[in-house]
């Protein structure tokens, strides 16, 4: 990915230097200024939400959320691993707030634990798809970007984002379930093999 971005930067720089060399320095300075403004805005947003998440952890709210979502996650990911389910629930609940950076540690832990679960292929695939589609009730990161760009109505994207991510999450989850169903057939085959061995 770094190579790709470096190539794009190099190509754009060459084009600007050839077509409008007098604008090269101005474009770099303007881009750097915008990037710094965006970073400060995102730092403020992430600081607020990560601080709030830490308060939730210390007060037991996160454990309550995990306990509330655990039955649904158990059916969705087809695993009984409590540690994995807790990490999955925390990852998904933080992603609902649009703070994907804060959800990353939970996501890494959940992925590692799901890889060791009974239905590792299905569980890991479902987790990857749900993270990629990322249902968001409140897209705080996108709102922060729009605020930094001086949008007149930065929160206008809440409902469109909710609708599109809900659709993509349902579709992605359904396709994952359709093509990577848990190993029911293998269990039936093993049962038949055991029965056949017993009759012999």
């Amino acid at each position: 990915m770094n190579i790709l971005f470096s190539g794009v930067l190099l190509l754009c720089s060459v084009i600007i230097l050839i077509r409008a060399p007098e604008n090269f320095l101005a474009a770099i300075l303007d881009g750097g200024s915008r990037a710094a403004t965006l970073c400060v805005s995102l730092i403020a947003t992430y600081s607020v939400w990560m601080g709030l998440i830490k308060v939730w952890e210390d007060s037991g709210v996160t454990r309550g959320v995990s306990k509330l979502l655990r039955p649904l996650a158990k059916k969705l990911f087809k695993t009984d691993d409590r540690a994995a389910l807790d990490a999955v629930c925390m990852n998904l609940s933080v992603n609902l707030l649009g703070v994907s950076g804060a959800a990353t540690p939970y996501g890494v832990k959940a992925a590692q634990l799901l890889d060791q679960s009974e239905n590792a292929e299905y569980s890991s695939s479902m987790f990857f798809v749900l993270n990629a589609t990322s249902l968001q009730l409140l897209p705080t990161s996108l709102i922060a970007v729009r605020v930094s760009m001086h949008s007149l109505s930065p929160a206008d994207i809440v409902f469109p984002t909710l609708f599109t991510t809900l659709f993509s999450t349902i579709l992605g989850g359904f396709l994952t379930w359709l093509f990577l169903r848990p190993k029911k057939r293998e269990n039936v085959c093993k049962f038949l093999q055991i029965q056949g061995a017993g009759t012999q």
Side-chain angles (χ1 to χ4, degrees), residues 115-187:
D115 280 340
Q116 303 170 5
S117 63
E118 180 182 356
N119 297 302
E121 182 183 10
Y122 172 80
S123 300
S124 298
S125 299
M126 180 65 76
F127 183 68
F128 175 80
V129 168
L130 294 186
N131 266 267
T133 56
S134 189
L135 175 62
Q136 294 188 9
L137 298 178
L138 186 63
T140 52
S141 296
L142 291 177
I143 291 175
V145 170
R146 288 169 63 87
V147 168
S148 68
M149 297 297 176
H150 308 292
S151 172
L152 297 178
S153 302
D156 281 352
I157 60 169
V158 171
F159 288 110
T161 301
L162 175 61
F163 177 77
T164 54
T165 56
L166 179 62
F167 175 77
S168 63
T169 297
I170 293 174
L171 179 61
F174 172 73
L175 292 176
T176 303
W177 174 83
L178 184 64
F179 291 105
L180 293 173
R181 294 185 185 183
K183 302 176 181 178
K184 288 184 178 180
R185 293 183 179 179
E186 291 185 13
N187 292 336

Side-chain angles (χ1 to χ4, degrees), residues 39-119:
C39 287
V40 170
S41 177
L42 290 176
I43 287 172
T45 303
Y46 273 71
S47 296
V48 170
W49 283 108
M50 293 185 75
L52 187 58
I53 290 170
K54 180 61 178 176
V55 171
W56 288 348
E57 288 180 348
D58 293 342
S59 61
V61 172
T62 55
R63 289 190 296 272
V65 172
S66 296
K67 186 176 181 180
L68 183 65
L69 295 178
R70 195 179 299 134
L72 176 61
K74 183 178 179 180
K75 292 181 179 179
L76 189 61
F77 294 95
K78 306 299 181 185
T79 180
D80 294 322
D81 189 331
R82 184 168 179 175
L85 291 175
D86 286 344
V88 165
C89 291
M90 283 306 305
N91 174 265
L92 296 180
S93 61
V94 174
N95 270 328
L96 287 175
L97 299 175
V99 193
S100 55
T104 300
Y106 299 113
V108 172
K109 182 179 179 181
Q112 291 174 343
L113 293 173
L114 289 175
D115 280 340
Q116 303 170 5
S117 63
E118 180 182 356
N119 297 302

